[in-house]
Amino acid sequence: KFYIVSYAMHLVPRWLYVFMAPMVARVLRHGQDMEYVGRRVAYYNQLQPGCNLPTDTECLCKMRRKGQSAYFHDLFRTSRWFEGHLKCVLLPGDITYVPEVPSIVKSRPVEGNNANSVIMKLNRTRHFIFLHDKLRFEDKADRVVFRGGVFQPHRRKFMQMYFGHPLVDAAESNKHASSNPPEWRKPRITIYDHLKYKFIMTIEGNDVASNLKWVMSSNSIAVMPRPTFETWFMEGTLKPNYHYIEIKPDFSDLEERIRYYLNHPDEAKAIIAHAHEYVAQFQDSRCETLIEWMVLAKYFRLTGQSSTLKLLNS
């Protein structure tokens, strides 16, 4: 469905999108809390006036699908409303560094000067999955579950520490063979199979933990070290032991933290409620679209480019 809709969007000439954009922008802005919208725009796009792009930067009308096409299609959903002469740098994939020039990225480091990393809602079909969990927290298994690829050193360390632990159902579910112990490997399980457990490990991979969004929308609790990377989900703003259960980066206190919340179910259910409140802000599609438009409009403005969508700059 995602690709059918995306390719269909390309059939409409850009001039028509640009002509309709001011009218659509007014509709998107109507009734919105613009102070809240402004805070999120400022979080995603922290560029300062006077930023420069390389002279060979591609303009929107010449950008073509290449490599990881989901990123191209996601950006096009927003950039199609802007004039084709405008330019931007798109860095697809798991970006764990801050680029030297202002760039559109899916992910960036939480710490440090990350202003050149302008976050957009990219690869949304993989990262922005929310669900309705019908199973109550108290009816779930008193264990923590982990399934995922185990290629990174920190994930290997977790498996070495907790594979076979009575409180932890951990297994490797790589699509491709690895050099890890063969007993770690088990068949993949569905998202809803994960929801049978009270606690779900959300361990960063190459960048963010891609399961964090749907875990926080469920009646299970995300268990993880403090995030070091962030995306459109603003992982850097999550409060430990309020939105998720925080454990040490070396995983050494996992058992202690799980037993604590098993013995304090009311505190556990409070974390679930706070997580649901946090997730709700990303489920207003009109507000989300407006924020995406304003992040990109700010990118063009601060890199010295002019757009007819001046309504978004106020």
Side-chain angles (χ1 to χ4, degrees):
K1 179 181 177 181
F2 169 80
Y3 285 102
I4 291 173
V5 172
S6 296
Y7 281 110
M9 289 177 180
H10 287 271
L11 299 178
V12 179
R14 181 180 291 273
W15 68 262
L16 185 56
Y17 287 124
V18 173
F19 174 76
M20 295 175 59
M23 294 177 284
V24 177
R26 291 188 186 92
V27 172
L28 292 175
R29 284 178 61 105
H30 180 71
Q32 295 290 351
D33 180 351
M34 294 307 296
E35 184 178 345
Y36 164 78
V37 169
R39 287 197 303 270
R40 283 188 56 188
V41 172
Y43 188 86
Y44 298 130
N45 187 333
Q46 300 177 24
L47 293 175
Q48 298 300 313
C51 300
N52 295 314
L53 295 176
T55 55
D56 59 350
T57 302
E58 282 187 325
C59 59
L60 297 179
C61 63
K62 293 184 179 179
M63 292 183 72
R64 296 291 181 266
R65 177 180 60 85
K66 51 182 104 169
Q68 303 182 59
S69 64
Y71 293 82
F72 166 77
H73 289 301
D74 277 331
L75 180 60
F76 182 77
R77 285 178 177 234
T78 305
S79 66
R80 62 193 165 117
W81 301 97
F82 294 82
E83 296 93 327
H85 66 81
L86 297 171
K87 298 180 178 182
C88 73
V89 177
L90 170 64
L91 297 180
D94 302 330
I95 305 301
T96 59
Y97 60 92
V98 178
E100 294 183 359
V101 299
S103 304
I104 304 297
V105 297
K106 177 201 74 179
S107 55
R108 70 185 179 195
V110 172
E111 300 295 335
N113 181 3
N114 56 18
N116 273 348
S117 299
V118 177
I119 293 179
M120 290 289 288
K121 195 173 185 179
L122 305 179
N123 202 11
R124 67 187 71 198
T125 56
R126 179 167 183 256
H127 284 267
F128 274 82
I129 301 172
F130 300 119
L131 46 82
H132 178 61
D133 185 0
K134 297 180 180 180
L135 194 61
R136 300 184 307 166
F137 176 78
E138 50 266 40
D139 296 330
K140 298 173 182 255
D142 293 341
R143 302 178 74 195
V144 58
V145 63
F146 169 77
R147 290 292 188 280
V150 184
F151 294 110
Q152 302 85 356
H154 58 283
R155 288 195 173 192
R156 289 195 183 96
K157 180 175 183 178
F158 171 79
M159 289 296 294
Q160 290 166 350
M161 294 174 66
Y162 291 104
F163 179 75
H165 191 286
L167 267 182
V168 183
D169 180 358
E172 176 183 33
S173 57
N174 296 334
K175 293 181 179 179
H176 307 289
S178 71
S179 59
N180 296 325
E183 60 269 23
W184 288 4
R185 192 168 181 84
K186 291 183 181 179
R188 296 171 67 87
I189 62 175
T190 68
I191 286 177
Y192 286 93
D193 287 329
H194 284 76
L195 301 186
K196 297 174 183 177
Y197 299 81
K198 288 182 176 176
F199 310 99
I200 302 176
M201 291 299 303
T202 54
I203 306 176
E204 290 182 331
N206 294 328
D207 55 8
V208 297
S210 59
N211 66 342
L212 179 60
K213 290 85 167 174
W214 60 258
V215 174
M216 286 183 58
S217 70
S218 76
N219 293 327
S220 299
I221 305 178
V223 182
M224 63 181 184
R226 193 167 301 204
T228 58
F229 300 106
E230 62 183 354
T231 64
W232 188 264
F233 198 59
M234 301 189 296
E235 286 88 346
T237 68
L238 293 172
K239 300 176 183 177
N241 305 317
Y242 184 87
H243 293 122
Y244 66 95
I245 296 174
E246 183 183 21
I247 58 174
K248 295 178 180 178
D250 64 2
F251 311 113
S252 59
D253 61 343
L254 174 61
E255 181 177 353
E256 172 195 335
R257 303 299 291 146
I258 295 301
R259 292 198 184 279
Y260 175 86
Y261 284 100
L262 286 175
N263 293 327
H264 298 81
D266 289 342
E267 292 185 36
K269 286 190 277 189
I271 291 177
I272 293 171
H274 299 150
H276 289 179
E277 291 171 2
Y278 186 88
V279 165
Q281 66 185 316
F282 300 98
Q283 296 178 311
D284 182 340
S285 59
R286 190 162 64 91
C287 185
E288 289 288 282
T289 300
L290 174 62
I291 295 170
E292 290 180 76
W293 281 34
M294 291 184 68
V295 169
L296 198 54
K298 182 179 179 181
Y299 177 94
F300 294 136
R301 177 167 54 87
L302 294 182
T303 53
Q305 304 179 77
S306 177
S307 168
T308 58
L309 276 178
K310 294 180 172 56
L311 179 65
L312 297 178
N313 293 329
S314 61

